[in-house]
Amino acid sequence: MLSLSAQTISNGGRFSADYQLGCVPFTVHLTPQDTFGNITRVYTYENSLTEKADTFHTYTMPGVYTIVQSVGVDVSPKEDSIVIEVVESPEPSFQIFACEPNDIFVFVDDQYYDYFEISYDGNPTDTVPKGNAGISHSFANSGTHSVTVEGFFDNGAPNCNTATSFVSIAPLVNNAVINQIDYELICADNLTVTLDFTAAIGVRYSINKNEDNGLFEEVFSGGLTNSPLVLQNIAIDTNSTEVCFQIDALSPCSGAVISGTPFCQSISTESFSALSQAYATYITSDIQINFTQNSIGTYEALRQRENEGFLTIDTIFDGFIDRSVSPSRAYQYQLNFQDTCNSISESVLIAPPHLIDNALGPNRYELFWVAPENNITTPPLHRLVVRDLSDTTNTLVISNPASPQELGLEESYGRLQEIRLETVYSDLGINLLSNPIVKRYEYSVFVPSAFSPDGDDLNDVLEIFGPIESDFQMRIFNRWGKEVFRSTSATNFWDGTFEGEKAPEGGYVYTVDFSNRFGEKFKQQGSFALIRK
C-alpha cells in the first residue's frame, strides 16, 4: 500500500513538511519541530509573498521553492528552510489489451512517474513500478469495465493525476489486415518498412517477417492504432526474391497466439534501387527530373549542355525542377546517389526528348528529334504534337514520326502554334515532353509561279489559295505597269485575257490584299509567268 506521508525535516531541524515533492496544485503542510514553546513562527513560501503564520500553502505553478521559517526568539540563526519541488501532473499513459474472456492485460508505458496504482471499477488493486512488463486482471463478469491508473513519485505527495479507460470484455480475435507495404533502403540491407494496415484497438499484436519461405521473426510487438506504421532498421536481404509480413494477435495473459494472413511481396534489386525509373521531361520551359526514391542518402545531379562537360547543379529530390535551361539547347543529366553509410552508390544518365527545326519555307519545317535517355525499359510511343496556344484542346498529332519529319503548319491551329515531341510509356502512365518550339503561322496566299491558259484544262486559270477571310482584292499588272485584271472575290481567277483578247506571254506582277479570321490585314505582292504553247 502507499505511504501516507514522506516527512521532510528542515535544514536546522526546527520544522518539517509532509512531502517535499508534489504535483501541481500542491498544498504543503508544515509542522514545528522545535522546543521553543509558545513563540511567534512565520513562514515565507514564495519570494514574492510576505511572511505569514499559516502552516500551509498551495503552489499553483511548477518550480523549485524555498520555504523560510523565522522564529520570534533570540536565537542564532533566526531562520530555517526547506526546499520544495512542484512538478507537472500529466495523465499517466497506459494500454489495455484483450486476453481470454473476462481477462485483460494492463501495460503502463508511462515513463514520467515512479510507480502507479491501478484500480478496476474504482477498486484499487495493483501497484506496479515504472518499466513494469504489465499485469493481467480477471473480471467476475463480462460487460464494460473501467480501468484507472494513478501516477506517484517516490516520497512524493499522493496528489498526481489519473487516467481512466473503459474496456468491453470480449473474446480475443485477430482481424488485422496488411493492405500495402513500401520499402526504403537506408544502408546495405537495412530498410525502413512502411505498413498500411487495418487493425482493432485494444489488441496486442506481433508483426513478423520472413524471406523466401524462411522462419518468421518478430520485428514489432504492441498495439496498432494509427496506420501507416513505420518500422525502422529492418534487416532484409536485397537479394531475396520474396518478403512476407504477418500480423499475429497475442494474449499477453496466457501467451496464446492467433496467427494472421501473410502479406507477401515479390522484390528485386530494382525494388531497392535509389534511381529506378529515372527520367527527365520538360515542364513548360523548365526540365523536371523524376525517379523512384527508394533509398535514404544523398542525391546529386550534374548537368551537361551540348557536350560541354558535366557541372554539378544541386542536391536533388524526386520531382526536382531545373529552371536554368534554354529550350533551344540539348541537355543531359548524370544522377548520383550515395547511401548513409557509403556502402551503396548508383549513377544514371538521363535526358529529355529533344526537338530541332529547320525552315523549308513559309509555314513549312523539317523537324529532327532525339529520343529521351533514361533507365525505363518499357518500349515507348513517340508522337509529334502541334497545339494551338490560344486553345490547347485544339491539337494535331502525328504518331511514330520520322526524323527528319516534314511538317506544314495549318491555319486552323491558330496564329501561335507549339510543337513538341511526346514520348509516352502508356503502361507506366509516364508522358515525357521535349523542349517546346513555338511558331507563328505566317498568313500568305499561294500564287503559282506560272500558268498556261491554252484550253487544255490544265492550269488554264491563275488559281490562288490561302487563309482568306474577307477584304480580298487582287490586281495584276503587265510589264509596263498597266492593270490587266482586278478581282474582289477569292474564287474569281484570271483566265489570261485582257479587254476580250488573249494577253501575251511574259512576266506579270500581282498584289493581293486580304484579312484573316482574326481581322488582321495583309498585303502580298509577287510575279508569275503566263505561258502559251
Side-chain angles (χ1 to χ4, degrees):
M1 296 299 294
L2 300 176
S3 172
L4 296 179
S5 177
Q7 193 177 62
T8 300
I9 304 298
S10 63
N11 294 329
R14 295 178 182 173
F15 69 104
S16 65
D18 287 347
Y19 298 96
Q20 194 174 12
L21 172 68
C23 289
V24 65
F26 175 36
T27 300
V28 63
H29 294 274
L30 306 180
T31 303
Q33 300 290 343
D34 60 61
T35 59
F36 297 144
N38 188 20
I39 63 170
T40 300
R41 299 174 181 83
V42 294
Y43 301 90
T44 302
Y45 290 95
E46 299 182 51
N47 291 336
S48 61
L49 298 180
T50 58
E51 296 178 339
K52 62 180 182 178
D54 295 338
T55 57
F56 61 89
H57 178 75
T58 300
Y59 292 93
T60 59
M61 296 292 292
V64 177
Y65 301 91
T66 300
I67 302 174
V68 179
Q69 181 203 61
S70 298
V71 296
V73 62
D74 189 13
V75 294
S76 181
K78 293 182 66 66
E79 295 181 344
D80 196 1
S81 63
I82 289 178
V83 176
I84 298 294
E85 184 177 3
V86 183
V87 296
E88 296 281 4
S89 184
E91 290 187 359
S93 172
F94 69 99
Q95 300 178 66
I96 303 174
F97 298 110
C99 292
E100 285 70 36
N102 296 356
D103 291 351
I104 63 168
F105 186 85
V106 181
F107 174 60
V108 182
D109 53 5
D110 191 284
Q111 297 297 312
Y112 183 73
Y113 298 103
D114 294 325
Y115 60 95
F116 308 88
E117 185 179 86
I118 305 175
S119 300
Y120 305 95
D121 293 332
N123 300 311
T125 302
D126 296 316
T127 300
V128 296
K130 177 171 62 177
N132 184 266
I135 192 167
S136 60
H137 180 80
S138 295
F139 290 100
N141 50 59
S142 60
T144 301
H145 299 271
S146 67
V147 178
T148 301
V149 176
E150 183 175 3
F152 293 88
F153 291 104
D154 293 334
N155 300 318
N159 73 321
C160 296
N161 216 336
T162 65
T164 299
S165 289
F166 292 90
V167 57
S168 296
I169 301 300
L172 177 65
V173 296
N174 186 1
N175 57 4
V177 176
I178 298 176
N179 303 312
Q180 181 178 329
I181 300 178
D182 295 312
Y183 303 94
E184 191 170 36
L185 190 65
I186 300 174
C187 175
D189 293 336
N190 197 339
L191 282 78
T192 293
V193 179
T194 303
L195 281 82
D196 180 83
F197 63 87
T198 55
I201 297 175
V203 177
R204 189 175 183 87
Y205 293 102
S206 172
I207 299 179
N208 303 278
K209 165 193 72 76
N210 79 4
E211 301 173 46
D212 291 341
N213 296 316
L215 296 176
F216 274 101
E217 58 178 301
E218 185 178 87
V219 294
F220 171 86
S221 180
L224 294 176
T225 52
N226 297 324
S227 180
L229 173 68
V230 178
L231 302 175
Q232 303 281 359
N233 302 316
I234 302 299
I236 294 179
D237 186 352
T238 54
N239 292 315
S240 299
T241 58
E242 185 179 66
V243 176
C244 297
F245 282 83
Q246 177 176 303
I247 301 180
D248 298 336
L250 307 177
S251 170
C253 303
S254 67
V257 177
I258 302 177
S259 298
T261 301
F263 183 98
C264 298
Q265 202 163 338
S266 297
I267 61 173
S268 64
T269 303
E270 186 177 335
S271 301
F272 306 110
S273 169
L275 298 168
S276 64
Q277 292 191 356
Y279 62 85
T281 181
Y282 271 87
I283 304 294
T284 61
S285 296
D286 304 321
I287 296 178
Q288 184 178 65
I289 296 172
N290 297 278
F291 52 92
T292 303
Q293 192 168 338
N294 288 329
S295 301
I296 297 175
T298 302
Y299 292 82
E300 176 190 62
L302 294 83
R303 180 182 62 212
Q304 177 179 254
R305 185 178 66 178
E306 295 181 347
N307 302 315
E308 292 179 352
F310 282 100
L311 297 174
T312 301
I313 58 170
D314 216 334
T315 54
I316 61 168
F317 49 87
D318 181 25
F320 174 82
I321 296 178
D322 185 4
R323 303 186 188 280
S324 302
V325 296
S326 171
S328 62
R329 311 291 292 271
Y331 295 91
Q332 185 184 51
Y333 295 86
Q334 177 179 314
L335 307 186
N336 299 324
F337 166 77
Q338 187 71 58
D339 75 352
T340 56
C341 59
N342 297 323
S343 63
I344 297 176
S345 61
E346 291 184 38
S347 184
V348 64
L349 293 175
I350 62 173
H354 190 66
L355 193 58
I356 303 170
D357 69 291
N358 178 40
L360 298 177
N363 299 320
R364 296 201 62 79
Y365 297 92
E366 188 177 42
L367 300 174
F368 300 84
W369 57 270
V370 180
E373 184 177 4
N374 52 52
N375 61 0
I376 301 175
T377 58
T378 303
L381 168 69
H382 302 291
R383 62 191 187 194
L384 282 172
V385 178
V386 182
R387 287 184 172 86
D388 179 350
L389 287 182
S390 65
D391 179 7
T392 54
T393 62
N394 187 25
T395 60
L396 169 67
V397 177
I398 301 174
S399 297
N400 299 314
S403 183
Q405 171 77 43
E406 287 195 18
L407 175 69
L409 300 185
E410 299 179 24
E411 193 270 344
S412 59
Y413 292 100
R415 188 67 189 272
L416 284 178
Q417 300 179 27
E418 179 191 77
I419 309 168
R420 287 188 193 256
L421 177 72
E422 293 187 359
T423 300
V424 181
Y425 300 90
S426 56
D427 291 346
L428 302 176
I430 296 175
N431 186 14
L432 307 187
L433 301 180
S434 75
N435 54 307
I437 293 178
V438 177
K439 296 297 181 183
R440 178 179 290 274
Y441 182 86
E442 299 298 333
Y443 283 88
S444 63
V445 173
F446 173 74
V447 179
S449 59
F451 82 115
S452 55
D454 53 11
D456 63 357
D457 293 330
L458 294 174
N459 300 321
D460 282 345
V461 294
L462 186 70
E463 189 172 1
I464 65 173
F465 307 92
I468 300 167
E469 198 70 26
S470 61
D471 303 322
F472 174 80
Q473 178 176 262
M474 183 175 190
R475 302 172 69 192
I476 298 176
F477 304 88
N478 63 20
R479 55 182 156 179
W480 297 284
K482 182 175 179 62
E483 182 179 295
V484 297
F485 178 77
R486 177 182 295 194
S487 174
T488 58
S489 171
T491 58
N492 181 21
F493 308 125
W494 188 38
D495 61 2
T497 63
F498 174 61
E499 294 181 345
E501 301 291 335
K502 292 180 179 180
E505 287 188 317
Y508 290 81
V509 174
Y510 71 87
T511 64
V512 175
D513 295 275
F514 65 96
S515 295
N516 66 8
R517 61 192 174 104
F518 302 108
E520 299 172 305
K521 295 183 180 296
F522 297 90
K523 189 177 188 67
Q524 179 178 325
Q525 63 183 20
S527 62
F528 62 91
L530 188 155
I531 301 172
R532 297 190 185 278
K533 297 179 182 178

